[in-house]
Amino acid sequence: MKLKSLILGSVAAAGLSTAGFAADLGVLTSLDVCDSLGISGLTISSSDNCLQITGGVSYEFNWGDYRGSFPVAGILGGASVRDTMDNDGVSPSELDWRSKFEAWLKFVGTASSDFGPASVTLKLKQVDIGRVRNEANDPDGDNAALTFDEAYVSVGDTTTIMAGKKGSIANFGDDEPFNFLGLFGSDWADKGVKWDILDGNLDTGGHVIQVVSAVADGVTIKAGLENLNDVAPVTSAGTAIGVLEYAGQGITAHVTGLAGGILDGTVDSWAMHAGITGTFDAFKVRGAFAVQNTTAATAWHGLVSVEGTFDMFKIALSGEALNNSAVGANTDFGFGGSIGATVTEGVSINLGGKYFDSNNAGGQDGYQIAAQLVAAVSETVKVTGEVGVFGNVTASTTDFYGAAELAWAPGGGFTSSIKGEAHQNGAYKVTFKAAKEFK
């Protein structure tokens, strides 16, 4: 119990019969700025400001012989090759390893204003990566200094104005396939549909001016100017973003529009990303579409996924299509599916596969088939095992693999895991992870 709460309780007990004491009690209560602003967690307060502090550290270490590339599927004429690991070293100099450390510390200072809460956000972040390939230093390593990842001001409640350095307001969600292996094109898009296939110097975040407004029940409108700090090339500077979102009654949906290079008065690239997810009793349905246009080409990526839960079984099917006029008029396709079953309490299995059909010159057809077992050994320990095969149909090659992971979450926000993976092509890797955040 807070000391202030104990004092207030004593005052209340002593002065319940006196109106004057009740008024004084109200004044004392209002001094708790963090409570009045609805801010919890690790906080420090003064008479009119609340400072919330959050942070975290994550660490990952990989070791083995895995830095080689085993091509599986070539997307849009081979513009992106989805691959798996391969061994490319020769003894006695065949080993690879990678050590990655990431830390962040965030401070949010908030006070009340006539327009709603007024805040300043400062987030410090450092990412440090060291890589070795075939027992020689890999220049792809990144030893970044501690920097301000975010530094911006904001004011407002139902309508919020933000300015400074921060992430984008663009919504790129509601676009991940439900089947447990996903899809090849979706993996290329970092799990979803890819809105920036052509690149086109269309960047988001950075130096921004943003407005977010909740205009109706479940409806939010966002507008902003982002990437205002981009000066090389100058023609790419400035991205205008508009977002319309809805969340309610089992449905989440959005449309995000982007126009790039606006600061010189000419739009040199535009894009759109839209997604919708509907949950109807035992079924989930998801659809997403993204398109990008530059002066040279137009490209798009679409996805549909459905999931049904029937007692102990869960079935998911997904499909995608991609097109890029810069590499040809043909459209690439991909599809996948999975079936999962809860065998006993804490034990489940997943069976699935995915296939990619490349229809442009230089592309490659490929597939993956896998079986997965997930078992909760205790409330804090989970074991996951997986066996499967990658196949490149165009090259007539296959790669069988097996993997096992032990995950531990003892509580307090701490998580850790160790995973081993071995492949038919000779590649192998051991991965250790540990992370903790405080909020």
Side-chain angles (χ1 to χ4, degrees):
M1 179 181 292
K2 294 181 179 179
L3 179 59
K4 181 165 59 180
S5 299
L6 183 61
I7 295 172
L8 292 175
S10 301
V11 172
L16 285 176
S17 60
T18 305
F21 278 118
D24 292 340
L25 179 60
V27 172
L28 287 171
T29 304
S30 68
L31 294 178
D32 193 345
V33 175
C34 296
D35 291 342
S36 65
L37 292 170
I39 300 173
S40 60
L42 181 58
T43 59
I44 301 173
S45 63
S46 65
S47 60
D48 54 4
N49 281 279
C50 176
L51 178 63
Q52 184 185 48
I53 307 171
T54 56
V57 172
S58 64
Y59 179 72
E60 179 179 337
F61 180 71
N62 301 285
W63 179 89
D65 186 1
Y66 59 87
R67 290 293 303 276
S69 177
F70 185 93
V72 179
I75 299 172
L76 295 174
S80 174
V81 178
R82 305 314 300 163
D83 51 28
T84 184
M85 67 177 70
D86 195 359
N87 65 329
D88 66 342
V90 178
S91 181
S93 300
E94 78 277 16
L95 295 178
D96 314 309
W97 58 86
R98 174 179 179 267
S99 183
K100 178 183 179 181
F101 151 83
E102 183 172 335
W104 60 275
L105 190 60
K106 187 174 182 178
F107 304 89
V108 181
T110 308
S112 60
S113 79
D114 293 339
F115 193 68
S119 299
V120 58
T121 298
L122 299 171
K123 182 180 179 182
L124 294 164
K125 184 177 181 180
Q126 182 177 9
V127 178
D128 188 275
I129 304 174
R131 291 186 179 94
V132 168
R133 181 168 185 171
N134 297 332
E135 301 181 33
N137 180 50
D138 189 334
D140 288 339
D142 183 10
N143 189 2
L146 183 66
T147 60
F148 280 106
D149 186 55
E150 293 181 345
Y152 66 94
V153 295
S154 66
V155 63
D157 191 0
T158 56
T159 297
T160 305
I161 303 170
M162 296 164 284
K165 181 183 179 181
K166 68 182 294 291
S168 178
I169 57 170
N171 187 335
F172 299 129
D174 285 311
D175 66 347
E176 294 188 25
F178 293 126
N179 59 304
F180 96 93
L181 285 179
L183 298 167
F184 282 104
S186 173
D187 292 344
W188 176 39
D190 192 19
K191 308 298 181 184
V193 292
K194 194 171 181 66
W195 62 271
D196 56 348
I197 294 176
L198 301 172
D199 187 15
N201 297 317
L202 207 167
D203 296 320
T204 60
H207 294 189
V208 307
I209 303 171
Q210 303 167 336
V211 179
V212 176
S213 181
V215 296
D217 188 19
V219 179
T220 302
I221 294 178
K222 303 177 180 179
L225 298 175
E226 302 183 357
N227 189 36
L228 299 177
N229 55 307
D230 197 347
V231 294
V234 172
T235 54
S236 69
T239 301
I241 297 179
V243 184
L244 176 62
E245 297 177 345
Y246 174 77
Q249 300 180 349
I251 295 176
T252 57
H254 75 274
V255 177
T256 297
L258 309 95
I262 63 169
L263 291 187
D264 65 354
T266 303
V267 175
D268 63 358
S269 179
W270 62 264
M272 184 272 290
H273 185 287
I276 182 170
T277 301
T279 302
F280 311 99
D281 295 326
F283 292 93
K284 290 183 179 180
V285 181
R286 175 169 289 165
F289 183 79
V291 60
Q292 185 181 17
N293 175 270
T294 66
T295 55
T298 300
W300 56 265
H301 186 187
L303 177 151
V304 175
S305 188
V306 296
E307 179 185 89
T309 303
F310 312 95
D311 295 327
M312 61 179 291
F313 295 101
K314 182 178 291 185
I315 300 174
L317 297 172
S318 305
E320 66 179 345
L322 305 93
N323 185 279
N324 181 355
S325 64
V327 300
N330 297 323
T331 299
D332 291 351
F333 297 94
F335 56 86
S338 63
I339 179 169
T342 302
V343 180
T344 62
E345 184 177 358
V347 179
S348 61
I349 58 172
N350 292 297
L351 303 173
K354 60 182 179 182
Y355 183 85
F356 192 81
D357 186 356
S358 178
N359 294 295
N360 289 280
Q364 301 170 67
D365 300 342
Y367 65 87
Q368 181 187 6
I369 301 172
Q372 185 184 73
L373 172 67
V374 181
V377 179
S378 68
E379 292 184 355
T380 61
V381 178
K382 181 175 70 174
V383 176
T384 302
E386 182 175 318
V387 293
V389 58
F390 291 97
N392 187 319
V393 177
T394 304
S396 299
T397 56
T398 58
D399 176 35
F400 289 87
Y401 71 93
E405 181 181 49
L406 178 67
W408 181 43
F414 178 87
T415 59
S416 182
S417 66
I418 185 167
K419 179 180 179 180
E421 185 173 353
H423 288 248
Q424 175 192 9
N425 59 32
Y428 60 92
K429 180 169 70 171
V430 177
T431 301
F432 171 80
K433 296 180 180 180
K436 169 72 172 75
E437 293 185 352
F438 65 89
K439 297 180 178 181

